Amino acid sequence: MIKFEKVSKVYPNGYKALNNVTLEIEQGEFVAIIGLSGAGKSTLLRTINRMHDITDGKLTVHDREVNNLRGKELRRFRRKIGMVFQSFNLVTRTTVIKNVLTSRVPDMPLWKAIIGLYSKADKIIALEALDKVGILDKAYIRADQLSGGQQQRVALARTLAQKPEIILADEPVAALDPVTAGQVMDDFKKINKEMNISVLINIHHVDLALKYCDRVIGIRAGEIVYDGPSKDVDHEILKEIYGRELADNEVMGE
């Protein structure tokens, strides 16, 4: 379980990105976080794996208070939380499987990591991850020969190879065309349902959030203004999250 209790985040410049956030996310949920740019969506995600420290309140993940973790304990904690970004962050001049294998490095002896000496077990894990996202046949192709959607699938496979309990995805389909975005969201849905991995996606496309995710969290100016089933999101709720003009025009596609 991920549990926010009156959590706030204030950046050094005084900007308050999160304001008194309280919510709980159970293991195995597929959650979309929606809202305007600058509303606090990315900050909310990045406090979970402690890319950003919270300023006030209490944040626990599987009963561990995140801000109390230090050193090796923090590194072990982060191994169980995968992160997928809008930019694929691949080494494009090397093969797909080598990109996926980089997620195994923290579990390897230093000398093996330096020379890239991966075990047979690690290679099997990487190949299984690629199979999960439907690009096993691309394993030995250079990453720069793949389409944008395929590169994002490599990034997702790399995260799967960590053996995570939670996946955080920060605008993972923002750079993709609508058809490819749907295919990548299919992969997230499959992983969530088949592997019971909690998936939290910060997503701009409301239509995709409502189609694929079971639960929607709407955030505005750092505050949660909606938290409930995606099937219950209507025009009035979107106005609360985005404001009337954007809900009428951009969000609803009118």
Side-chain angles (χ1 to χ4, degrees), residues 27-247:
Q27 184 62 33
E29 286 196 84
F30 192 7
V31 181
I33 303 167
I34 65 173
L36 294 167
S37 297
K41 303 188 300 298
S42 291
T43 300
L44 184 71
L45 274 189
R46 294 176 188 218
T47 58
I48 295 170
N49 63 357
R50 208 170 143 199
M51 288 180 71
H52 296 325
D53 287 334
I54 64 173
T55 307
D56 294 297
K58 183 178 179 182
L59 171 58
T60 55
V61 178
H62 301 318
D63 297 320
R64 304 174 77 183
E65 192 164 347
V66 176
N67 264 31
N68 289 342
L69 300 176
R70 298 289 185 275
K72 289 182 179 179
E73 189 179 15
L74 177 59
R75 290 192 290 273
R76 285 195 296 268
F77 167 77
R78 284 174 169 161
R79 289 293 291 150
K80 293 299 182 180
I81 303 179
M83 188 87 186
V84 179
F85 299 91
Q86 177 179 339
S87 56
F88 317 127
N89 293 340
L90 303 181
V91 181
T92 55
R93 295 178 66 84
T94 192
T95 62
V96 164
I97 191 169
K98 285 184 178 178
N99 274 279
V100 176
L101 282 166
T102 59
S103 69
R104 303 300 303 164
V105 167
D107 298 324
M108 296 167 58
L110 179 61
W111 70 271
K112 286 189 175 183
I114 290 172
I115 63 176
L117 186 59
Y118 299 101
S119 68
K120 181 179 179 181
D122 283 333
K123 291 176 182 176
I124 290 172
I125 288 170
L127 291 169
E128 287 176 342
L130 287 168
D131 191 37
K132 276 287 183 187
V133 298
I135 53 170
L136 179 59
D137 60 322
K138 308 295 184 185
Y140 296 98
I141 294 175
R142 270 181 33 159
D144 59 7
Q145 296 178 17
L146 303 182
S147 67
Q150 289 169 334
Q151 289 191 42
Q152 189 59 289
R153 283 172 159 165
V154 175
L156 180 52
R158 180 180 57 197
T159 297
L160 279 181
Q162 287 180 221
K163 302 288 185 179
E165 297 172 356
I166 299 166
I167 293 177
L168 310 176
D170 196 359
E171 295 285 6
V173 297
L176 306 178
D177 65 78
V179 173
T180 306
Q183 293 169 346
V184 172
M185 291 296 290
D186 281 332
D187 291 331
F188 277 110
K189 187 79 169 181
K190 177 182 177 183
I191 289 162
N192 167 251
K193 297 306 177 188
E194 293 183 0
M195 303 177 72
N196 196 40
I197 295 174
S198 302
V199 179
L200 285 77
I201 292 185
N202 163 16
I203 188 166
H204 175 70
H205 301 286
V206 175
D207 56 336
L208 294 178
L210 301 184
K211 179 179 179 181
Y212 288 96
C213 300
D214 304 314
R215 175 180 172 188
V216 168
I217 295 171
I219 186 167
R220 184 169 188 177
E223 298 183 352
I224 304 299
V225 295
Y226 176 78
D227 181 6
S230 56
K231 63 181 177 63
D232 292 343
V233 175
D234 60 17
H235 195 73
E236 291 303 311
I237 289 170
L238 291 176
K239 284 195 291 186
E240 284 291 315
I241 299 169
Y242 291 96
R244 181 181 300 276
E245 184 177 349
L246 281 175

